[in-house]
Amino acid sequence: MFRKILILSILLSLIACNNSLTTKEKQQYIKKGKEITKASFSELSSNLMQQMKIGGSEQAIPFCNTQAMPITKRMEDKFNVTIKRTSDKLRNSENKPSKRELEIISDYESELKNNKELIPVVEINMDKNVQFYAPIIIDSKCMTCHGKLGEGLNVKTDSLIKTLYPKDLAKGYKEGDLRGIWSVEFNK
Ligand code: HEC
């Protein structure tokens, strides 16, 4: 009987090991995930700001429309990961969240409401790969394209966005709001 319990518990712990990470591994992946999302954010935002400087949102929005994906792809190749930016209020339907991503977003929403610190999440996903999630928060630079009409977003920009993204839900934000999440999958 005891032997059976022993064998069973060893088996169970093996299964558990397969599906969970040690604290140390988690810390390492969090560090790596932060590095990747920081680099991707600065790549996307520096390109965007450059376009804004050259031709305002009229130039920056079409740029985003065609270049956000290729820029992200370059970062994916560089780090051997899959990078996604997703949200519960989408602009680009290609960034659609999974069920798990929606849960993470809603957890972050309630943590934000309760004034808690939003920290990255690392876990093993369904494909048995490590998956990293981190919040994306709205700052002043985002308001031109994601703010409220009249508060950051002007009529011209609004109509340009509507033309490119007729189903856009990604406006009406204020600084400090949760815009969405990074979701990074580490390839094997
Ligand atoms: C010049 C306009 C512009 C600015 C400024 C801008 N965005 Fe966007 N954003 C877009 C457009 C256009 C898309 C859709 C194309 C894409 O990136 O996939 C988008 C998409 C996104 C997405 C992907 C999810 C979705 O809804 O499709 C996130 C997340 C996001 N923006 C966050 C931000 C944050 C955070 C800032 C500020 C640091 C910001 N954006 C600034 C225009 C802008």
Side-chain angles (χ1 to χ4, degrees):
M1 180 67 185
F2 278 123
R3 252 182 83 130
K4 267 193 189 155
I5 292 176
L6 188 67
I7 291 170
L8 194 68
S9 59
I10 290 173
L11 272 177
L12 277 176
S13 69
L14 279 177
I15 295 168
C17 268
N18 221 358
N19 286 305
S20 63
L21 294 160
T22 63
T23 313
K24 194 164 171 225
E25 284 171 329
K26 268 194 182 172
Q27 281 169 350
Q28 283 165 344
Y29 278 112
I30 286 184
K31 192 163 166 253
K32 195 91 197 117
K34 278 184 175 171
E35 247 173 59
I36 295 167
T37 50
K38 199 175 156 207
S40 307
F41 178 80
S42 84
E43 197 64 19
L44 281 167
S45 101
S46 64
N47 275 291
L48 187 69
M49 289 307 143
Q50 203 184 353
Q51 297 300 315
M52 287 286 272
K53 249 192 210 149
I54 302 170
S57 52
E58 274 156 86
Q59 173 137 349
I61 292 166
F63 173 85
C64 249
N65 181 245
T66 58
Q67 294 306 308
M69 294 290 179
I71 291 173
T72 311
K73 178 82 180 62
R74 278 209 298 278
M75 301 310 281
E76 290 184 332
D77 293 344
K78 183 172 173 190
F79 293 104
N80 189 29
V81 290
T82 308
I83 305 173
K84 193 171 163 191
R85 291 169 309 139
T86 188
S87 175
D88 54 341
K89 288 188 253 169
L90 281 183
R91 173 153 296 168
N92 183 351
S93 54
E94 284 181 45
N95 299 324
K96 197 171 178 272
S98 68
K99 202 169 149 256
R100 183 64 187 135
E101 285 163 346
L102 274 178
E103 278 170 11
I104 301 271
I105 293 170
S106 116
D107 287 350
Y108 279 142
E109 263 323 337
S110 56
E111 282 164 12
L112 197 63
K113 247 185 229 143
N114 295 317
N115 286 321
K116 283 197 190 143
E117 195 193 347
L118 309 190
I119 48 172
V121 174
V122 167
E123 61 191 24
I124 306 284
N125 67 18
M126 306 256 260
D127 297 324
K128 298 229 181 321
N129 282 338
V130 178
Q131 185 94 27
F132 167 94
Y133 305 99
I136 301 176
I137 303 289
I138 291 281
D139 70 26
S140 59
K141 293 195 295 296
C142 323
M143 297 299 282
T144 341
C145 300
H146 295 292
K148 267 195 200 116
L149 193 60
E151 283 171 43
L153 184 68
N154 64 31
V155 178
K156 212 169 160 190
T157 307
D158 186 47
S159 68
L160 188 60
I161 292 172
K162 275 193 187 126
T163 319
L164 285 169
Y165 305 97
K167 290 185 193 151
D168 176 46
L169 293 174
K171 57 186 184 187
Y173 287 98
K174 47 185 195 324
E175 282 183 55
D177 280 350
L178 182 76
R179 168 70 181 91
I181 55 167
W182 290 101
S183 178
V184 177
E185 180 175 15
F186 290 86
N187 299 334
K188 282 195 185 83

